[in-house]
Amino acid sequence: MSDLLRTPLHDLHISLGAKMVEFAGYSMPVQYPMGVMQEHTHTREKAGLFDVSHMGQVIIKGPDFQSAAQALETLIPVDIMGLALNRQRYGFLTNDAGGIMDDLMLANRGDHILVVVNAACKSDDIAHLKANLSDCAVSEVTDRALLAIQGPASAAVLAALDPAAAEMRFMDVAVLSFDGVACWVSRSGYTGEDGYEISVPAHQATALAERLLAHPDVAPIGLGARDSLRLEAGLCLYGHDIDTLTTPTQAALNWAIQNVRRRDGAREGGFPGAPVILDELQDGAERKRVGLRPDGRAPMREGVTLFSGIDDAAPIGQITSGGFGPTVGRPIAMGYVPVAHAQNGTIIYGELRGKRLPLTVVALPFTPHSFKR
């Protein structure tokens, strides 16, 4: 653990009694004394505070926003040029085979694009951006921490520090002042709940976190509850549910590719893997990410092999995320199956400790999203 990177909140995690684990090269809290189940429930009912400072914050700056957006669209198959000022959008970098190199959030901040990428991918992402955006300046933000507050009480908690927080819509970005500290704030999140992400100067991150945790509705939340919250929300975790061998259509992320970038759109294609992705958008992919509900009480986790029949020899797919969903009160999972087996209500089988157990293909998400629309 001594060789791992530390976020600006590391000492605060220790003082709060966190159990620390290695994640993406960082020492990160997996849970606090409250425990994963209660952290999960607290976030669904009130507000959870997450340290996401390990993620990469990257600024892409060109002669103007439109120039930078046009350049970035050569790497990302979403409508960036049409992104309004102070709005953000979900997207992904793709490779020549149509696979997802990383998923990310990108925001129009007027004279630049702010991109937030996954911790495990950020070095490769930044190198990829620098190599391919020769007319833009690509720089990692290294002097700011990143916090996330998620849950139905989040808006009220932040509005007590700056009333403008309550006026933000889902996917708005703004600069808000929390106790005189200028923070870059977006209204979004990865738990399915209403929430915000807060980029704060690193040397003021602990003070802000302590200020938020002083609110009776806010509790610190670790990676364990992050995973169960995300799974219930049916949202992908990079490196598990999506990777370089998974296309956006296979991952059921078609919604993230706007019409303008699709076939016959005004800016069709022009990104890595476009022939593969555009064909799949038009004709469908051969496999698809689906929700899975184990029929018994035994959770089926990542890596469980899936079969169409209890005695079939050939596997049809694999679970990519799985566990117990505290809100839904039962085991849940996500995985990939051929489209012939992707209809809701289809019964398939997962092999758990040498025994085939039934699962039902179900719609995602497992719990309704509560984003502030």
Side-chain angles (χ1 to χ4, degrees):
M1 293 284 283
S2 59
D3 295 333
L4 297 178
L5 298 171
R6 297 181 175 185
T7 74
L9 296 179
H10 180 270
D11 290 348
L12 178 61
H13 297 316
I14 300 299
S15 71
L16 292 172
K19 177 183 178 183
M20 306 298 285
V21 298
E22 187 278 335
F23 181 79
Y26 283 81
S27 175
M28 297 295 293
V30 67
Q31 68 175 77
Y32 297 86
M34 181 189 290
V36 173
M37 290 281 283
Q38 289 190 53
E39 289 174 29
H40 179 112
T41 302
H42 186 93
T43 303
R44 287 270 184 256
E45 295 178 349
K46 295 181 180 179
L49 184 66
F50 302 77
D51 180 9
V52 287
S53 303
H54 56 307
M55 301 183 76
Q57 302 179 66
V58 182
I59 286 177
I60 299 173
K61 195 167 187 177
D64 50 51
F65 173 81
Q66 284 296 312
S67 299
Q70 186 175 20
L72 194 54
E73 284 194 359
T74 65
L75 301 178
I76 296 178
V78 304
D79 177 11
I80 306 172
M81 295 179 69
L83 185 59
L85 178 65
N86 295 326
R87 294 285 291 167
Q88 73 171 1
R89 178 162 282 162
Y90 176 76
F92 24 73
L93 293 162
T94 52
N95 61 27
D96 289 340
I100 300 172
M101 297 173 61
D102 195 10
D103 64 338
L104 48 84
M105 300 296 292
L106 52 92
N108 177 352
R109 287 174 42 88
D111 65 345
H112 67 271
I113 303 169
L114 176 64
V115 183
V116 178
V117 300
N118 284 297
C121 303
K122 63 182 176 183
S123 294
D124 289 342
D125 289 350
I126 292 169
H128 180 64
L129 292 168
K130 286 184 173 178
N132 290 282
L133 302 179
S134 57
D135 293 334
C136 297
V138 177
S139 55
E140 182 180 6
V141 178
T142 58
D143 59 352
R144 300 182 78 91
L146 194 63
L147 310 181
I149 184 168
Q150 295 278 294
S154 301
V157 170
L158 287 194
L161 301 180
D162 188 331
E167 304 304 317
M168 295 175 68
R169 299 167 297 160
F170 182 58
M171 292 295 192
D172 273 354
V173 298
V175 177
L176 302 185
S177 177
F178 297 149
D179 292 336
V181 178
C183 295
W184 307 344
V185 180
S186 62
R187 193 164 193 173
S188 60
Y190 50 78
T191 61
E193 299 293 331
D194 182 23
Y196 301 81
E197 292 187 344
I198 307 165
S199 176
V200 54
H203 68 284
Q204 292 167 312
T206 297
L208 177 59
E210 290 176 333
R211 182 86 154 87
L212 295 171
L213 290 170
H215 194 288
D217 286 345
V218 182
I221 309 297
L223 295 173
R226 176 208 64 173
D227 283 351
S228 59
L229 289 159
R230 175 196 54 77
L231 174 58
E232 282 188 338
L235 301 174
C236 295
L237 181 63
Y238 192 81
H240 299 262
D241 307 298
I242 50 177
D243 56 27
T244 55
L245 302 178
T246 309
T247 68
T249 299
Q250 293 168 6
L253 297 174
N254 292 5
W255 57 267
I257 303 176
Q258 292 73 33
N259 288 338
V260 70
R261 304 304 311 279
R262 298 188 182 203
R263 191 150 287 154
D264 299 326
R267 299 193 303 282
E268 171 188 330
F271 48 83
V276 175
I277 293 171
L278 295 181
D279 282 351
E280 287 191 346
L281 285 171
Q282 181 171 288
D283 303 326
E286 293 183 353
R287 63 174 186 147
K288 183 181 178 185
R289 178 175 62 94
V290 297
L292 297 166
R293 189 184 63 207
D295 287 1
R297 300 295 296 175
M300 294 194 198
R301 304 187 188 280
E302 180 180 5
V304 167
T305 304
L306 301 172
F307 297 85
S308 62
I310 196 166
D311 296 319
D312 286 7
I316 60 170
Q318 197 170 63
I319 287 177
T320 52
S321 285
F324 185 79
T327 306
V328 298
R330 60 175 304 139
I332 53 176
M334 294 191 297
Y336 284 83
V337 297
V339 291
H341 300 277
Q343 290 296 316
N344 293 340
T346 302
I347 305 295
I348 59 175
Y349 294 84
E351 190 163 279
L352 193 63
R353 294 185 287 275
K355 190 174 181 180
R356 300 276 175 91
L357 299 173
L359 308 95
T360 303
V361 176
V362 297
L364 293 171
F366 297 100
T367 55
H369 293 166
S370 300
F371 301 133
K372 180 70 174 180
R373 300 291 185 182

